[in-house]
Amino acid sequence: MAERTHVTLQDVARAAAVSPATASRVLNGTAKVRDDLRERVQDAAGRLAYAPNAHAQALAGASRPTVGVICHDVSDPYFAVIARGIMRVAGDNGLLVMLASTFRDADREVAYVSMLRAQRAPAILLIGSGFEDKTWERSLAAELGPYLRGGGRVAVVSRHRSLRVDSVLPENRAGAAALANALLEMGHRRFAVLAGPRALTTVADRIAGFRSALAGAGVPLSEEDIVECGFTRDGGYAGMSSLIDRGMRATCVFAVTDVMAIGALTALRDKGLSVPGDVSVAGFDDIPIVRDLTPPLTTVALPLEQLGEQAMELALRENSGRRSRIVRVEGRVVIRESTGRVRS
Amino acid sequence: MAERTHVTLQDVARAAAVSPATASRVLNGTAKVRDDLRERVQDAAGRLAYAPNAHAQALAGASRPTVGVICHDVSDPYFAVIARGIMRVAGDNGLLVMLASTFRDADREVAYVSMLRAQRAPAILLIGSGFEDKTWERSLAAELGPYLRGGGRVAVVSRHRSLRVDSVLPENRAGAAALANALLEMGHRRFAVLAGPRALTTVADRIAGFRSALAGAGVPLSEEDIVECGFTRDGGYAGMSSLIDRGMRATCVFAVTDVMAIGALTALRDKGLSVPGDVSVAGFDDIPIVRDLTPPLTTVALPLEQLGEQAMELALRENSGRRSRIVRVEGRVVIRESTGRVRS
DNA sequence: CCTGGAATAGAAAGCGCTTTCAGAAAGCGC
DNA sequence: GCGCTTTCTGAAAGCGCTTTCTATTCCAGG
């Protein structure tokens, strides 16, 4: 019952009757070693179930290729799909990926970045809109800055630009505007919006785009038409419910994310309203599940997996210039059955 | 543009004109240090944006509390919810959690375990059914065994028992049997099953339980009634489609996971069949989204978040005995609108 | 004013590994 | 067989940190 007693390279070397240097060379294939010695080392390593100490390896110069990805919640399909894109590219480049969820807790986010920095991870990817919270951004920047200066790579997806790092940014404004125009074309004139926290830049941008397109058609969107609710399925459910309860007059509801739209659809069903008969619903993101809803959701399709791929590639490719790179990604309006023409 | 040049404790110590030992004591609060020295150190550390090298710290004895969780695919809601449970308990105990997806690739799984082992992570959690693949299990055991002997903690959720480690096991058989009985009671006598890979113990157990309950009522379930398809939404879609195309006679379809049931529901809709009018559909797991489907899915509810919590707690609490601990978790049949009585 | 003991700072060892560096062995042409 | 280059192995340094262990300082009591 040996507690915390690890087999070291020394042990292997001793068992194989060679020097640690030779053992290291064999185990890493760093240099040619005489056949019999090599076999003795491999044998000993196997017999002793030797596992190199990554900390010692890292300290001695060899870097272990594990990149870190930090998001708000891995159980949100939006992140999950992006993460998959990241992992694809990482895998192609022989990198392992580890994910962390912050649950929108600034301290936890900083803790993860700090840990990744301390571990000398070759790259850190941040997914998801940050609050426009100066303190938050500052403490994050305080970690990220030195990390970058130390040779680390950072890329973010869909985060506010105040962090001056390479980023992949969805065209939230334009996408929401295009959606608004499509809905206008169907004859809708009275809208309601299920918004997540307005402080989230993603939310703010989508609302702004939506509103400006409406304004272009002379259709107003007042603050009362916007319900600020949780950025989740339950938030969408609650928001939609309260909208119905206070006598909604809108013919179309825009939920700023698909996840929220899902909650909205269920709320409507529970209240006995039909979609799109009584009210049309549209979302944003095009997460995979929305195709399986009844009715399938009209939304703005973001190439989510690509967002992740681009971010990983950004982190992989060295930035030669001094400015941070920005990749803009467009959304595409996808009309499905959750929206319909307004009966005249 | 200093490349890969990190600020070390030495630098801080020098800047503060103290010894590295003192700097270490200040930064870790390990011992009392004279006020003016302490301030000088803290000042220097801040000014230089010092970040300790986790590798060096770990090597010198201080351990960083980051547990690793390995699953097949974080974008599968089943894992995502379990992972959340794990993170809750981990968070309560001051541990950070990092997730990895293997995409059912044995090599990748071993690579992650090996990495975690090399990093001397205090605990490793494995989620998800493993194939009954001797080679796979053996190479995994080869990593895990020494890790455990070295003081590491391991817990698995829903994996075959051949790995002799602490585990949380859903009662797949009993759950599936209970579901079958409920369906029988609704008058169903002809069933089809959408099965994932049969080599997966989870799949095998659920089918076995389902079948035995049917057998108890004198209802046969032949091999032709079982469609083996991918363990995903698309697999369920494809399986259901082929079932329909070859003239299904069943009045009720049991998909061994909710995710597959989702695909099945959409396939049925695409083929113009109504649920539960033409055919009833039931799943297993009760992932959150199934409540938002139309119709909501009848399923066997597993307390997914609890599975994760239990596993984390298992890994946290030292196992004093010599046998591996097993926590069994029951499922509960939840009847929703995707199943109906058979018209007589 | 001196001694003993309690605080506190610094020196140094060592965690496990990689990697130069130098030395030993081996191969070659003369 | 001698001096030369070419392999290959082992000795040793050092990565950045924690932690004993030792040396100093400081104060109380005599």
Side-chain angles (χ1 to χ4, degrees):
Chain A
M1 194 77 2
E3 185 71 26
R4 283 265 155 229
T5 163
H6 292 286
V7 178
T8 73
L9 186 66
Q10 291 272 9
D11 300 331
V12 175
R14 208 172 308 134
V18 299
S19 73
T22 303
S24 171
R25 283 189 269 255
V26 170
L27 266 12
N28 298 305
T30 325
K32 215 179 280 177
V33 171
R34 217 171 60 218
D35 286 5
D36 57 328
L37 292 196
R38 178 155 34 77
E39 275 174 31
R40 287 218 308 263
V41 170
Q42 283 167 339
D43 208 62
R47 207 149 25 80
L48 301 175
Y50 167 71
N53 183 324
H55 296 303
Q57 291 189 135
L59 198 55
S63 81
R64 211 143 257 263
T66 305
V67 308
V69 176
I70 301 175
C71 65
H72 295 310
D73 185 357
V74 290
S75 64
D76 185 327
Y78 173 80
F79 296 120
V81 179
I82 293 179
R84 188 151 35 168
I86 292 175
M87 291 187 252
R88 248 224 41 243
V89 175
D92 291 350
N93 288 275
L95 296 167
L96 295 179
V97 177
M98 300 235 62
L99 264 52
S101 293
T102 63
F103 300 110
R104 297 188 188 287
D105 172 5
D107 293 341
R108 214 186 291 231
E109 176 165 62
V110 173
Y112 276 112
V113 171
S114 168
M115 184 205 79
L116 257 8
R117 170 149 97 104
Q119 288 200 357
R120 302 294 186 265
I124 299 178
L125 305 196
L126 262 33
I127 317 180
S129 178
F131 282 98
E132 285 209 50
D133 179 319
K134 290 300 165 214
T135 320
W136 183 336
E137 296 278 330
R138 210 163 14 227
S139 50
L140 202 54
E143 286 288 337
L144 256 22
Y147 174 71
L148 284 164
R149 255 172 277 128
R153 309 293 189 77
V154 175
V156 305
V157 176
S158 181
R159 187 180 269 270
H160 194 258
R161 288 194 50 188
S162 73
L163 273 183
R164 315 202 88 273
V165 293
D166 294 343
S167 17
V168 180
L169 297 176
E171 297 276 19
N172 286 316
R173 280 187 128 85
L179 176 65
N181 286 327
L183 296 170
L184 285 166
E185 194 149 311
M186 294 181 191
H188 293 283
R189 288 296 175 272
R190 291 200 304 271
F191 296 90
V193 174
L194 291 177
R198 303 287 285 271
L200 245 36
T201 56
T202 303
V203 174
D205 286 351
R206 291 180 183 181
I207 293 177
F210 197 79
R211 171 181 268 151
S212 77
L214 294 191
V219 174
L221 182 72
S222 72
E223 280 304 314
E224 291 109 64
D225 301 323
I226 301 177
V227 182
E228 186 164 340
C229 50
F231 208 42
T232 59
R233 179 265 182 207
D234 290 348
Y237 187 96
M240 190 70 235
S241 300
S242 82
L243 215 44
I244 298 168
D245 290 344
R246 56 183 214 235
M248 174 181 63
R249 296 182 53 232
T251 62
C252 180
V253 174
F254 168 45
V256 297
T257 70
D258 283 353
V259 171
M260 293 168 69
I262 291 172
L265 285 176
T266 299
L268 286 163
R269 186 187 66 198
D270 287 355
K271 297 278 185 185
L273 292 172
S274 91
V275 176
D278 295 316
V279 49
S280 289
V281 175
F284 204 116
D285 290 337
D286 198 33
I287 57 177
I289 190 74
V290 300
R291 259 158 285 210
D292 297 309
L293 299 176
T294 314
L297 190 68
T298 289
T299 190
V300 179
L302 248 28
L304 295 178
E305 202 157 332
Q306 271 183 47
L307 293 188
E309 293 171 359
Q310 303 256 29
M312 190 70 240
E313 271 159 15
L314 228 36
L316 249 32
R317 258 184 297 121
E318 180 138 26
N319 185 354
S320 44
R322 26 185 330 101
R323 298 184 54 85
S324 54
R325 295 168 292 186
I326 297 181
V327 176
R328 298 193 182 277
V329 178
E330 291 197 357
R332 189 174 43 82
V333 176
V334 178
I335 306 295
R336 299 207 183 88
E337 286 104 80
S338 71
T339 51
R341 303 200 77 81
V342 173
R343 287 175 292 246
S344 48
Chain B
M1 189 90 347
E3 184 72 27
R4 283 264 155 230
T5 163
H6 292 286
V7 179
T8 72
L9 187 67
Q10 291 272 7
D11 300 332
V12 175
R14 206 171 310 135
V18 298
S19 73
T22 303
S24 171
R25 284 191 268 256
V26 170
L27 266 14
N28 297 305
T30 324
K32 214 180 283 178
V33 172
R34 218 172 58 218
D35 286 5
D36 57 328
L37 293 195
R38 178 155 36 76
E39 274 175 33
R40 289 216 310 262
V41 170
Q42 282 167 338
D43 207 62
R47 210 147 24 81
L48 301 174
Y50 167 71
N53 183 325
H55 296 302
Q57 291 188 139
L59 199 54
S63 83
R64 210 145 258 262
T66 305
V67 308
V69 176
I70 302 177
C71 65
H72 296 310
D73 185 357
V74 290
S75 65
D76 184 326
Y78 173 79
F79 296 120
V81 178
I82 293 178
R84 190 154 30 171
I86 292 175
M87 290 187 254
R88 249 225 39 243
V89 175
D92 291 349
N93 287 274
L95 296 165
L96 295 180
V97 177
M98 300 237 59
L99 265 49
S101 294
T102 64
F103 300 110
R104 295 188 189 287
D105 174 3
D107 292 342
R108 212 184 293 230
E109 177 166 59
V110 174
Y112 276 112
V113 171
S114 167
M115 185 205 80
L116 258 7
R117 170 148 95 104
Q119 288 201 0
R120 303 292 185 266
I124 299 178
L125 304 196
L126 262 35
I127 316 180
S129 180
F131 283 99
E132 286 209 50
D133 179 318
K134 290 301 164 214
T135 321
W136 183 334
E137 294 280 328
R138 203 154 30 216
S139 50
L140 202 55
E143 286 288 338
L144 256 22
Y147 174 70
L148 284 164
R149 255 171 277 128
R153 309 293 189 77
V154 175
V156 305
V157 177
S158 180
R159 187 179 268 269
H160 193 259
R161 287 196 49 189
S162 73
L163 273 183
R164 316 203 87 275
V165 294
D166 295 342
S167 15
V168 179
L169 298 176
E171 296 277 21
N172 286 315
R173 280 186 129 82
L179 176 65
N181 286 327
L183 297 171
L184 284 166
E185 193 150 310
M186 292 181 193
H188 293 284
R189 288 297 176 273
R190 292 200 304 272
F191 295 91
V193 174
L194 291 176
R198 304 284 286 270
L200 246 35
T201 55
T202 302
V203 174
D205 286 351
R206 290 180 184 182
I207 293 176
F210 197 79
R211 172 181 267 151
S212 77
L214 294 192
V219 175
L221 183 72
S222 72
E223 280 303 314
E224 292 108 64
D225 301 323
I226 301 178
V227 183
E228 187 164 340
C229 51
F231 208 42
T232 59
R233 179 265 181 206
D234 289 349
Y237 187 97
M240 191 69 236
S241 300
S242 81
L243 215 44
I244 298 168
D245 290 344
R246 56 185 215 233
M248 174 182 64
R249 298 180 52 234
T251 61
C252 179
V253 175
F254 167 46
V256 297
T257 68
D258 284 352
V259 172
M260 294 168 69
I262 291 172
L265 285 176
T266 300
L268 286 163
R269 185 187 67 197
D270 288 355
K271 296 279 187 185
L273 292 172
S274 91
V275 176
D278 295 317
V279 49
S280 289
V281 175
F284 203 117
D285 289 338
D286 199 34
I287 58 177
I289 189 76
V290 300
R291 259 157 283 207
D292 297 309
L293 299 175
T294 313
L297 190 67
T298 289
T299 191
V300 180
L302 248 29
L304 295 177
E305 202 155 334
Q306 271 183 45
L307 293 189
E309 293 171 358
Q310 303 255 27
M312 191 70 241
E313 272 158 16
L314 228 37
L316 250 31
R317 257 184 295 122
E318 181 139 25
N319 185 353
S320 43
R322 20 187 333 100
R323 299 183 54 83
S324 54
R325 294 167 292 187
I326 297 183
V327 176
R328 297 192 182 280
V329 178
E330 292 197 357
R332 190 172 43 81
V333 175
V334 179
I335 306 295
R336 298 208 183 87
E337 286 105 78
S338 71
T339 50
R341 302 200 77 80
V342 174
R343 286 175 295 243
S344 46

